[in-house]
Amino acid sequence: MNLTETDTSLFQRLRFVLVETSHPGNIGAAARAIKTMGFGRLILVNPRFENALSHPDAIAFASGALDILESAQIVKTTEEAVSGCKFVAAVSARLREFSPPILSPREVTERIAYKEEGEVAFIFGSERYGLPNQVVMNCQALINIPANPDYSSLNLAQAIQLLAYESRMAVNVKSDGASQVGFFGQAASNEQIDAMYSHLERALVAIDFLDPENPKKLMPRLKRLFSRAGLEAEEVNILRGISKKILDVSQK
């Protein structure tokens, strides 16, 4: 099967988001990694040096993938980078107590390949510090790459190459006739889910279930719970309807 960049599938919908990258060579290597697998969308969040996309090391390591660098975006926040996405996954070797569901690269890519609508994004942290906890908590999944427990550190471009490869293979398997049984509604966007959490939090405060002065870990636990569900837009609307009813009753 011959897959090209013009396919209207995951190749068009998947964004590779790099947060506060420290080394220009890694940006060029990332561009090369995603182009070799047929992808092309690269977004940088606050790279830690000027001229990130035109730096000589970035150009050298891109090794012919200059079109990816030229079309890449630079934004100030992670929220901007994933705006409009229906599914966002963080990539990290460090596990968190209150992370979203932890999935392997293959599990994640099979999931997004079968959902044929909506933008999706993989977020990669800086080489030095990884990803902030808040960014991870706001994702629908945490991708953990199985590796040698005694030496599990991957170079940034290596991690990107692995995710790009698994994404391509997931599309390949799907296109070869594999099918997934069951009904799937429209996936909720990141913005819809964030708004639902805010609405739910206000409702829980209104009925004294959540103490805003001492919230403990209630909202992170609820985010973790709903992340495992893979929320659809109609399900988010139902939860917001429940929250609205709670607020209406509590105000009477």
Side-chain angles (χ1 to χ4, degrees):
M1 173 184 165
N2 182 28
L3 301 174
T4 72
E5 294 170 355
T6 60
D7 290 340
T8 58
S9 61
L10 196 57
F11 294 101
Q12 295 295 321
R13 298 186 290 113
L14 178 56
R15 310 175 189 180
F16 290 81
V17 178
L18 280 57
V19 179
E20 297 185 352
T21 310
S22 299
H23 303 294
N26 281 334
I27 293 177
R32 179 180 183 180
I34 67 176
K35 182 172 182 176
T36 58
M37 293 296 119
F39 299 93
R41 301 184 64 183
L42 181 64
I43 302 177
L44 310 182
V45 180
N46 282 333
R48 291 181 175 270
F49 47 89
E50 295 182 0
N51 304 320
L53 297 172
S54 58
H55 191 284
D57 286 349
I59 293 172
F61 278 80
S63 188
L66 296 182
D67 55 327
I68 307 299
L69 292 181
E70 290 169 356
S71 63
Q73 297 173 262
I74 297 180
V75 298
K76 294 185 179 299
T77 66
T78 306
E79 289 76 15
E80 289 179 76
V82 302
S83 177
C85 285
K86 295 294 182 70
F87 181 85
V88 180
V91 182
S92 177
R94 182 165 63 89
L95 303 181
R96 276 82 164 174
E97 182 181 2
F98 294 104
S99 77
I102 300 168
L103 302 175
S104 70
R106 191 156 300 172
E107 290 170 325
V108 169
T109 54
E110 287 176 350
R111 174 174 173 177
I112 62 176
Y114 276 102
K115 285 185 174 289
E116 295 182 339
E117 45 80 27
E119 301 279 312
V120 294
F122 293 152
I123 306 180
F124 300 81
S126 72
E127 302 91 332
R128 297 179 182 178
Y129 309 111
L131 286 169
N133 288 335
Q134 191 60 44
V135 171
V136 175
M137 285 171 53
N138 287 334
C139 293
Q140 282 81 60
L142 173 60
I143 302 174
N144 185 255
I145 299 172
N148 178 0
D150 297 324
Y151 188 70
S152 60
S153 176
L154 279 175
N155 172 271
L156 175 60
Q158 291 173 330
I160 292 169
Q161 184 74 78
L162 193 152
L163 264 297
Y165 168 79
E166 288 290 351
S167 298
R168 183 180 182 88
M169 291 303 296
V171 174
N172 204 345
V173 168
K174 175 180 175 295
S175 299
D176 283 344
S179 63
Q180 196 169 44
V181 178
F183 170 77
F184 293 93
Q186 182 183 30
S189 69
N190 226 42
E191 288 84 355
Q192 288 173 319
I193 292 172
D194 285 344
M196 182 271 290
Y197 285 138
S198 297
H199 203 169
L200 179 60
E201 185 172 9
R202 295 199 305 273
L204 295 176
V205 170
I207 60 173
D208 295 325
F209 191 85
L210 172 61
D211 180 359
E213 301 300 322
N214 187 28
K216 297 183 179 178
K217 298 292 185 179
L218 179 60
M219 290 310 298
R221 285 188 182 279
L222 287 175
K223 288 183 177 183
R224 178 180 172 86
L225 184 157
F226 286 122
S227 291
R228 291 199 299 271
L231 289 170
E232 297 173 356
E234 187 58 32
E235 294 165 343
V236 166
N237 290 337
I238 291 170
L239 289 166
R240 294 203 65 173
I242 294 170
S243 298
K244 182 179 185 301
K245 188 66 174 178
I246 291 172
L247 289 168
D248 290 343
V249 171
S250 66
Q251 292 168 3
K252 289 182 179 179

